């Protein structure tokens, strides 16, 4: 969207308890960051005075205090009359420091999937054949008191008895299971929901940027190592507890592809083993998605803009700056409160 130059920006840091705002923190400075390729995709840093956590106390009740361990912090940007959340964060570290005038907390915080990264199996976890994938995922989420979820439902079930070793993190277990049913890794949204959704790409933009509302930082970079891309993709399930092995294959034999078996004259094979997969159709979907990735070179671009909304996992940006005009997936962003927002963009081009 295009924001008028005279638009007023206001930033604040809300205190959230049980998904409800209970107060605000006085900000000295703050920044938030998103990285699609990180296990925990959202992070935040902030400086807040030690006495700067102001909790609303209802009339007639005892004083309510901010609890750094159980409450969450939600940065919010108001752009004109519209407000946008930038995530709910759990404080992981908050050393106390002095800036010469007052004592402050230097806060390091992450979205709630960090709880799953820190939780791990205390005993061997066993699930019998026929247990639904999402039932296992939900059990682990409930164990961590994480119930604010958005879920693409499926009845897909594991086809053999399954165990996870002591010490395996909940995040690793969940993402392993989601990969087997062709879902994206679990991730947090701007308003604190945890998303368990099928992998998807888009053909339309969530945001549009031109030289009027954005600046291209440096040059667009193209992946030059296309010759390492495979032209034969294989996915297979090999498990002694499953009677029949599943195997799916996709071959790039297109005469117009620079990396195909036809053009190269030889095969470059990528094979990935999965512990389980509910059926051949799901496995073929995984292989087909990997095939699309493997037949495309990567082009990246970095731009700078004013903050302009809540950018979610899987957002797409239409770019029309200088000689660059294309649709990109946003794989990362960072925003400094009171400052600008930088975006890391990526698109695929068939080779």
């Amino acid at each position: 969207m295009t924001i008028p130059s005279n638009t007023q920006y206001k930033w604040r840091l809300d205190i959230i308890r049980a998904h409800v705002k209970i107060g605000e923190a006085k900000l000295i400075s703050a920044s938030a960051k998103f990285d699609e390729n990180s296990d925990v995709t959202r992070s935040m840093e902030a400086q807040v005075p030690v006495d700067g956590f102001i909790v609303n106390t209802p009339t007639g009740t005892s004083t309510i205090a901010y609890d750094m361990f159980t409450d969450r912090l939600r940065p919010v940007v108001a752009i004109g009359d519209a407000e946008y959340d930038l995530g709910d964060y759990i404080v992981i570290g908050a050393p106390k420091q002095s800036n010469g005038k007052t004592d402050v907390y230097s806060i390091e915080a992450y979205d709630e999937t960090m709880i799953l990264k820190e939780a791990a199996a205390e005993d061997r976890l066993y699930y019998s054949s026929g247990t639904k994938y999402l039932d296992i995922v939900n059990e682990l989420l409930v164990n961590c008191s994480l119930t604010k979820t958005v879920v693409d439902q499926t009845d897909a079930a594991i086809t053999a008895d399954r165990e996870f070793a002591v010490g395996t993190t909940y995040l690793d277990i969940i993402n392993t299971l989601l990969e087997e049913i062709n879902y994206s890794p679990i991730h947090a949204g701007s308003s604190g929901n945890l998303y368990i959704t099928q992998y998807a790409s888009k053909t339309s933009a969530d945001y549009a940027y031109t030289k009027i509302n954005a600046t291209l930082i440096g040059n667009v970079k193209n992946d030059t190592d296309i010759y390492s891309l495979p032209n034969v993709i294989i996915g297979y399930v090999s498990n002694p507890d499953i009677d029949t092995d599943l195997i799916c294959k996709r071959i790039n034999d297109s005469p117009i592809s620079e990396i195909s078996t036809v053009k190269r004259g030889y095969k470059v094979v990528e094979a990935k083993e999965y512990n389980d997969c509910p059926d051949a159709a799901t496995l073929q979907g995984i292989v087909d998605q990997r095939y699309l990735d493997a037949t495309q070179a990567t082009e990246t671009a970095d731009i700078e803009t004013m903050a302009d909304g809540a950018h979610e996992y899987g957002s797409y940006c239409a770019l029309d700056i200088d000689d660059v005009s294309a649709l990109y997936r946003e794989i990362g962003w960072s925003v400094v409160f009171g400052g600008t927002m930088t975006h890391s963009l990526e698109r695929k081009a068939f080779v």
Side-chain angles (χ1 to χ4, degrees), residues 21-248:
K21 178 180 176 179
I22 62 168
E24 296 182 14
K26 295 180 179 179
L27 273 177
I28 297 174
S29 65
S31 63
K33 180 180 178 180
F34 167 81
D35 182 353
E36 180 179 283
N37 296 317
S38 294
D39 289 340
V40 179
T41 60
R42 290 176 181 261
S43 61
M44 183 189 72
E45 294 181 350
Q47 282 201 324
V48 179
V50 171
D51 60 354
F53 298 94
I54 312 302
V55 176
N56 302 323
T57 302
T59 303
T61 65
S62 58
T63 301
I64 300 174
Y66 166 68
D67 189 321
M68 189 172 289
F69 290 99
T70 59
D71 292 335
R72 305 290 181 255
L73 298 175
R74 177 184 293 170
V76 179
V77 55
I79 306 174
D81 295 329
E83 289 191 353
Y84 301 96
D85 301 334
L86 298 178
D88 283 5
Y89 297 88
I90 178 173
V91 175
I92 299 299
K96 188 186 299 184
Q97 300 175 342
S98 175
N99 63 6
K101 296 180 180 180
T102 185
D103 290 334
V104 301
Y105 285 119
S106 293
I107 292 173
E108 178 185 1
Y110 295 87
D111 72 61
E112 287 189 322
T113 59
M114 177 59 78
I115 297 174
L116 299 171
K117 188 177 178 69
E118 295 190 326
E122 299 177 37
D123 302 293
R124 291 190 69 85
L125 297 180
Y126 169 82
Y127 301 98
S128 60
S129 174
T131 304
K132 294 180 180 180
Y133 276 88
L134 294 188
D135 285 349
I136 301 174
V137 171
N138 187 62
E139 176 186 305
L140 299 179
L141 292 174
V142 171
N143 286 348
C144 294
S145 300
L146 298 173
T147 58
K148 191 180 178 185
T149 58
V150 176
V151 183
D152 286 345
Q153 295 296 332
T154 178
D155 290 327
I158 58 176
T159 63
D161 295 347
R162 195 74 173 269
E163 287 189 351
F164 294 97
V166 174
T168 308
T169 71
Y170 281 12
L171 188 62
D172 283 344
I173 294 172
I174 288 173
N175 284 337
T176 295
L177 294 172
L178 294 181
E179 183 182 36
E180 292 175 3
I181 55 175
N182 205 20
Y183 274 48
S184 297
I186 188 170
H187 54 274
S190 58
S191 294
N193 292 313
L194 298 186
Y195 285 82
I196 303 162
T197 53
Q198 294 176 331
Y199 182 87
S201 57
K202 297 179 182 178
T203 57
S204 60
D206 301 289
Y207 297 90
Y209 297 114
T210 70
K211 61 183 180 181
I212 296 175
N213 65 346
T215 302
L216 182 64
I217 304 172
N219 298 319
V220 173
K221 297 179 181 179
N222 293 287
D223 183 1
T224 57
D225 190 21
I226 65 172
Y227 297 100
S228 65
L229 293 174
N231 52 25
V232 178
I233 306 295
I234 299 172
Y236 66 99
V237 177
S238 181
N239 187 323
D241 296 323
I242 300 175
D243 293 335
T244 304
D245 287 351
L246 279 178
I247 184 167
C248 292

Side-chain angles (χ1 to χ4, degrees), residues 275-290:
N275 187 274
D276 197 5
C277 194
D279 50 52
T282 301
L283 183 59
Q284 188 64 58
I286 296 172
V287 169
D288 288 347
Q289 182 58 55
R290 177 55 192 145

